[in-house]
Amino acid sequence: MAEAKYPEGGFKSFKDFYPFYLSEHSEPVCRTLHFVGTFLGLIFLVWVLATFDNKWWAFASPLFGYAFGFVGHFAFEHNRPATFKNPFYSFASDLKMFFELLTGKIKFKS
């Protein structure tokens, strides 16, 4: 499994991190799996908030994204998910990539 190529001292900003994040998601199947997982997670979150009495279930919504994303990384991208070293930038990047894929700003195929 390829180790992520992080700069010495880590990333100083989200702006610096996001291009790296996209480079770690260059495989079309990996991007697609991330998109599907994030979509299902958002649908689950809305469903929980609209129908469940116990709103604590909302915290389970990221599990969809992580499950699909991990399959994409381990089976297709052959790298370690960025979330292990930068969980907050990684989560924000996943949402940004999702909306950029949704709007066509970036493509499923690189």
Side-chain angles (χ1 to χ4, degrees):
M1 184 170 313
E3 182 64 30
K5 297 171 194 75
Y6 282 77
E8 188 72 30
F11 291 95
K12 304 296 183 214
S13 70
F14 179 76
K15 182 180 177 183
D16 293 336
F17 179 79
Y18 189 61
F20 168 78
Y21 183 85
L22 289 178
S23 75
E24 293 290 297
H25 298 82
S26 61
E27 182 65 37
V29 176
C30 184
R31 281 189 186 195
T32 302
L33 286 169
H34 270 270
F35 183 86
V36 170
T38 301
F39 178 75
L40 291 175
L42 291 172
I43 294 297
F44 182 77
L45 177 64
V46 169
W47 180 55
V48 165
L49 295 177
T51 63
F52 280 42
D53 289 332
N54 185 348
K55 304 302 185 204
W56 284 101
W57 277 100
F59 289 104
S61 62
L63 297 177
F64 288 97
Y66 286 114
F68 279 80
F70 285 6
V71 169
H73 284 285
F74 294 122
F76 298 98
E77 196 75 52
H78 303 292
N79 62 14
R80 181 166 286 134
T83 196
F84 292 138
K85 288 192 177 180
N86 284 329
F88 299 112
Y89 281 169
S90 181
F91 183 72
S93 294
D94 186 63
L95 293 175
K96 182 174 181 172
M97 183 175 73
F98 173 81
F99 286 108
E100 288 184 346
L101 287 166
L102 185 66
T103 60
K105 186 173 180 182
I106 61 174
K107 305 294 182 207
F108 285 93
K109 287 187 171 187
S110 50

